[in-house]
Amino acid sequence: MLNKTIKNQISKISNTADMNELIALVKAQRAIVQSSEAAKAKAKFSTGDTVKFFSKQRGWLTGSISKMKIKRALVMIEGQGNWDVPLTMLEVA
């Protein structure tokens, strides 16, 4: 959560160049955080593990990992085929 000092400094930005620089910094930091989260998630799982994840259309689905990718995994759901799922969405079943 952002503290008041950071919020106050952001509210003082008065030109587009500074705002664009801030946006670039935030995007770079987001990429670092997402890569870190993906690496932590990848360390928890391996091919053959049984996992579950939530789909908005179908609810909770359970299957086994058939292939690990850099930030995603192919999860084989019986009767529904392979799903390409972000590692951060997976949970141990």
Side-chain angles (χ1 to χ4, degrees):
M1 191 159 108
L2 294 177
N3 64 32
K4 288 184 179 184
T5 304
I6 294 172
K7 289 179 183 180
N8 287 337
Q9 292 298 320
I10 291 172
S11 68
K12 291 178 184 178
I13 296 174
S14 61
N15 63 62
T16 305
D18 288 345
M19 184 60 72
N20 288 337
E21 185 178 351
L22 175 64
I23 290 169
L25 288 169
V26 169
K27 286 181 178 181
Q29 186 62 31
R30 177 177 25 181
I32 291 168
V33 170
Q34 287 175 333
S35 291
S36 173
E37 289 174 350
K40 287 178 188 175
K42 190 171 186 173
K44 290 194 294 188
F45 303 111
S46 62
T47 302
D49 287 350
T50 301
V51 294
K52 65 180 181 177
F53 62 94
F54 187 78
S55 166
K56 289 181 183 178
Q57 293 87 10
R58 301 205 174 136
W60 284 99
L61 297 171
T62 303
S64 63
I65 296 175
S66 59
K67 181 179 179 181
M68 293 289 292
K69 298 181 182 181
I70 294 171
K71 293 184 179 182
R72 301 170 86 73
L74 278 179
V75 179
M76 179 62 162
I77 308 292
E78 192 170 319
Q80 296 186 27
N82 284 320
W83 288 59
D84 195 19
V85 184
L87 292 170
T88 55
M89 287 181 58
L90 296 176
E91 297 179 16
V92 176

